[in-house]
Amino acid sequence: MALMLLMYDFTIEYVGAEKFAQDYVIAAVSLEDNVRSPAFETFKVLPLSFNQIQKGTEKDLVLSKAYDSIQQGWMKASSSTADRELQKLYNRREFFTTVEGCILSSDRLVIPRHLRKRCLAQLHQGHPGIHRMKPIARSCVYWPSIDIDIVKYVKPCASIPWPKLQRPWQRVHVDYAEPLDGEYYLLVVDSFSKWPKTLQTSRITVVATIKILQSIFARLGMPETVV
C-alpha cells in the first residue's frame, strides 16, 4: 500500500469538528505525471508506439484480466494453462498500477505477449550478453518470464568483435553494478583509454539513467557510441 501511495500527490484540507457529520471531501488525490513519465520514456527506446501497447494489453488474454483485476480487485487465478501467467502477476500484485490502458510494474512497462520478441530484439542491439541484457530490460520493461526469454534469445547469438578505436570517447560502455547497501553504481568506461567513471544512485530507471548520462556528457562531451 505504501508503494502505491507514493505515486499520488495529496491535497489536504482542514475540516472543523462541527463538519464531521456532513458530507465533506476531506482529501483528494491525483495521479502524478511522474507515473506516466517512465512509461512514455520507454517508448523512446523501444520500436513500439503507445497505441500498440494499449491495444496489445486489451487483446492479451492474460494482461486484459490483470488490467481489470488491478482496477477492480484481484482474485486468485485458476490452475489452467492460460492462468499460470496470471497467477505470477497475482503473486506480485502490489507492484502494479495502470496508466491510460497500459500496465506498469513499479515504473516498468508490462509488455503484451505478441510484442515481446520485438522488445528483445531492440534491447539486444549492440549484442550485450545475458548478464548485461537482464538489467537493461529490468530498467524499462517487465513480463513474468522475461529472464527466461532473455536467456533463450541471447544464448544462440554469436559474439561479435568490437571495431578498433582511434581516440578517446569514441565508444563508452555503461552498466550498473550490483546494489550495495541499497544503492546502485552506474559505471561509465571509455573503451579506448579504459578510464572509468562511477556514480552512485538509488534509482536505475530509464529516466534516472538518462539524467545521469546527460550530466556526464554535458561536462565531457557526447561520445560517438554508447553501449
Side-chain angles (χ1 to χ4, degrees), residues 122-172:
Q122 179 70 14
L123 295 169
H124 193 51
Q125 285 191 358
H127 297 269
I130 293 172
H131 296 294
R132 290 187 178 182
M133 188 167 166
K134 284 182 178 180
I136 294 172
R138 290 170 186 158
S139 70
C140 57
V141 296
Y142 171 81
W143 61 86
S145 61
I146 187 168
D147 284 353
I148 296 173
D149 292 345
I150 287 173
V151 172
K152 290 180 179 178
Y153 191 91
V154 177
K155 209 167 185 179
C157 178
S159 61
I160 299 176
W162 293 107
K164 189 175 180 180
L165 299 173
Q166 304 297 324
R167 56 192 174 278
W169 221 237
Q170 190 175 355
R171 185 180 73 239
V172 298

